[in-house]
Amino acid sequence: MPFDPDLCAIRFGTGLSPLVPAPGSSAEVLAILAGPDHAAEAWHIPPYAVATPSLDALRLANMARREVADTPEVAAAEAAYDELARAHVEALAHNVKATIARKIGTSDGLRERLVMFWSDHFTVRAKTGFLRHLVTPYVEEAVRPHVNGRFADMLKAVETHPVMLAYLDQTNSMGPNSVRAQRRDRGLNENLAREILELHTIGVDGPYDQRDVRQLAELLTGLGLDRQGTVYRSDHAEPGGETVLGVTYSAEANLSTVEAALDGLADHPSTARHISRKLAVHFVSEEPDQGLVDTLTARFVATDGDLLEVTAAMLDHPAAWVPERQKVKWPLEFMSSALRALGIAPEMIMTMEARHVRQMLQGPLAVMGQPWETAPGPDGWSERAEAWITPQGLAARINWAMHMPRRITEDLPDPRDLVSTALGPLASEEIVFAAGAAEDRAEGVGIVLASADFQRR
Amino acid sequence: MDRRRFLASGLMLGCSAAASPLLTPVALASAPWENRLVVIILRGAMDGIDAVQPVGDRDYAGLRPTLSMVEERTELDGFWDIHPALVPLMPLYQAGQMGAVHAVSTPYRDKRSHFDGQDILEAGTVDLSGAAERDGWLNRMLATVPGIMAETAYAIGTERLLILNGQTPVSRWSPDARLSLSPQTRLLLEVIYANDPLFHAASEGALRIMDELEAEEHGDEARLQGAHQQLAQFAASRLRHDSRIASFSLGGWDTHAQQHQALPRALTRLSETILTLQAELGPVWDKTAVICITEFGRTARENGTRGTDHGTGGAMIYAGGALRGRQIAGDWPGLAEADLYAGRDLMPTRDVRAHAAWVMRGLFGLDQSVLENAVFPGLDMGADTRLVL
């Protein structure tokens, strides 16, 4: 295989680093990915189940302060709420810091990249402020444990997760003929069912139609939330069995019926093709080599969606190593790979104050076009280079590259050294020259990080 | 590349810079129209009943026992008062360049979620089915017009405004994305992007915008302080030249509690935004329409925390020399219990999209069938709202 350690770190990892050596072989990269998740251990993010403040605690505190408005107890209720609100802000900053620290400190960069890929595939967005700090914990709980496991397991974890149910309106869906709908003027919401088929599994060009959407939506009606989390609500469930893509599921439904339907969709050959193409598009090219997509699809089918195997098939395929770096890093990748190349210690990020996180990381990400965990729709962030390298998007990247590194560290590298740290032999003649021709160290660092060389992968 | 070749490329850059549109007036393809449209999205649901107060409605004071208490009233006519924080716009109102339409809404009903409400407002559709390939109504409008350049429309701010998303290329810029670069760094950017057309074009675009802004700021026009004024100032700087459409959003409207403190802040920002547009547009103001739309209105009754909750019908504030102001237009449904939507909200009597559609028909001469099919699919525009002069 045409393995190249520098290209591997840039295209399939979180970038080159002066502190962490580039991988030696694809086999080594895959063995690390198959092993324990050291980065998650080193830079902890609580999974949703134990993340605080919980959605329930925030709701209760908010209700409490409204109930006692205009009474003497209001001050205590407001104080209790404010404390949770502060914890919520701190938790959000912690999520940003730990996510970036993992990317800059890890020896297992492919795992971070896969977490980003899959959390984008299963995009959620906080519809209420109360959920904003719980999006990363959703990823930690439902996505991250499965990036080297089975697709079906990730699918089931994600589609039954409280954050996904809230995002795609499942919490309000009920069967038109359910016990509940007889009493209230509400009905079916197809949103989750539609996105499962269109985005998460079969793909928009796949062999399903509106009847399948409707049937799957009816099958999902039992799925909902109570204060503790996901539950099966029999009184919301549409009576009778449902048929999705030719498979009929029992009328005696419960949570395992929902899981069986998701297993069925995970097994569908169109899902294998949809996922395989999406992986190739994300990692390699907007117009990926058909042989690469076919190989991934075949491996997906042969291994029942074993994602470690599918990822290995990608690293084993020559088309994945095409020397031309066609993709542009997303803003979060750009920023974290820049910090990694600069040799910033993860601890330096972890100890940043929340307001600095907003000024130096979150704010600039938004100007670059990628506000933290708020993708424009359920289809996630764009894979098109043109969507990111716009006048505004590029100006924000250049601006950050020129001004933020010197605010984050006093210890900037010599720009000429940074070129070889960050790009190795992949550096172009122009960037080698420009790094040496800058007026001062900070501008030289900025030029290297702002270069197309550095921003492509 | 060595230093001599670099200098040579710098000299070549100098030559090409001399031919750039910045230094020599180059006739660009003319924009399709002379009129300008600014769409300001008020995120968080503006309380239309408090912004433009129906004091002549006999149920108004009863529904809003504290919110209707104002120290100094500013009457528009016998029926309507304007909120004190909008009083700075009164000269515009008197000059016939500012007004409002009341009891309007999008087709969105009942769930009253900001998130979905804003998406529907910007998508211009009846619901959010087919959510994955959503585009916005301003972008669909542009798609129906030949000769549109990216410069024709600007989405301003750091957010990805859905209203301008879609197939037609538009420009995006945020006043936060400023670049101050040394001359040497600018030359080096030329070097590092020389072989990458995508990066090269984007950096050229960014530097051009920065240069234009700087050139304009050399005069007595200092950069304005508030983020909302910067949005307006930047919008005006584009609309004075080749741009015809600009959109941005203002937040701070979700006034669930202590509305008498929260709403004046948001309305003051809105007043300042409109006045900034007027001042910065100069003579172009006479060809400009500004419409301010929000995802839904708020409850007719004030709640237990002196605020209002998510409702349905609301108001659209508008301004600009191209519009017929000095009126509170719309079909007022009344605030009696039986007249409210679901017993709680102002009843919408007109689709806000019909107003937007008639404004675009008046400004840009678009066919009604195009507006009712391509721009707002399925909309019945109804009778002319006659907002455009």
Side-chain angles (χ1 to χ4, degrees), chain A residues 149-163:
Chain A
R150 292 186 63 242
F151 175 74
D153 293 336
M154 192 190 300
L155 183 69
K156 286 179 283 189
V158 160
E159 309 296 5
T160 61
H161 198 280
V163 176

Side-chain angles (χ1 to χ4, degrees), chain A residues 97-328:
Chain A
K97 292 193 285 190
T99 301
I100 291 177
R102 287 174 179 182
K103 291 179 194 290
I104 69 182
T106 187
S107 313
D108 187 7
L110 179 55
R111 189 187 309 255
E112 300 308 325
R113 289 288 307 286
L114 289 168
V115 170
M116 194 177 66
F117 170 80
W118 286 110
S119 58
D120 181 69
H121 182 71
F122 292 115
T123 291
V124 298
R125 181 171 162 174
K127 279 190 167 182
T128 68
F130 288 173
L131 274 168
R132 281 198 316 154
H133 67 298
L134 295 171
V135 173
T136 317
Y138 147 81
V139 172
E140 195 72 5
E141 182 168 283
V143 174
R144 191 170 180 103
H146 304 292
V147 300
N148 56 2
R150 292 186 63 242
F151 175 74
D153 293 336
M154 192 190 300
L155 183 69
K156 286 179 283 189
V158 160
E159 309 296 5
T160 61
H161 198 280
V163 176
M164 181 64 85
L165 299 185
Y167 176 55
L168 291 179
D169 306 313
Q170 182 59 32
T171 47
N172 291 308
S173 185
M174 56 187 80
N177 301 304
S178 66
V179 176
R180 186 84 172 175
Q182 306 296 315
R183 297 202 306 258
R184 298 185 58 193
D185 182 26
R186 289 276 173 92
L188 198 64
N189 187 311
E190 295 178 353
N191 207 2
L192 179 64
R194 181 178 305 281
E195 304 306 9
I196 287 175
L197 290 169
E198 177 180 323
L199 298 174
H200 299 165
T201 61
I202 304 294
V204 68
D205 300 324
Y208 71 93
D209 61 21
Q210 175 57 29
R211 274 169 311 182
D212 294 304
V213 173
R214 174 97 190 172
Q215 287 283 295
L216 180 59
E218 289 183 3
L219 189 149
L220 295 173
T221 44
L223 203 54
L225 286 182
D226 71 4
R227 284 182 46 197
Q228 271 66 50
T230 301
V231 287
Y232 193 84
R233 310 165 299 184
S234 299
D235 63 340
H236 284 62
E238 178 69 4
E242 283 89 17
T243 303
V244 181
L245 287 156
V247 183
T248 301
Y249 296 92
S250 161
E252 298 299 312
N254 52 35
L255 204 52
S256 62
T257 320
V258 172
E259 292 185 336
L262 292 171
D263 275 327
L265 292 173
D267 266 351
H268 198 283
S270 293
T271 299
R273 177 153 299 275
H274 176 58
I275 297 296
S276 298
R277 182 175 161 84
K278 208 170 163 188
L279 271 166
V281 166
H282 178 77
F283 281 93
V284 184
S285 169
E286 287 170 37
E287 294 297 333
D289 177 79
Q290 195 53 46
L292 173 62
V293 176
D294 291 344
T295 301
L296 300 195
T297 307
R299 188 78 68 95
F300 192 109
V301 171
T303 62
D304 290 333
D306 182 330
L307 297 179
L308 190 61
E309 288 285 339
V310 176
T311 306
M314 180 165 66
L315 295 193
D316 285 345
H317 198 284
W321 298 91
V322 55
E324 192 194 354
R325 302 199 295 286
Q326 297 176 35
K327 299 287 299 188
V328 166

Side-chain angles (χ1 to χ4, degrees), chain B residues 308-341:
Chain B
T308 49
D309 296 313
H310 300 182
T312 309
M316 175 181 98
I317 291 171
Y318 65 85
L323 294 181
R324 180 177 284 108
R326 204 169 178 170
Q327 60 169 342
I328 305 303
D331 181 10
W332 181 250
L335 292 173
E337 177 82 28
D339 296 328
L340 297 179
Y341 178 79

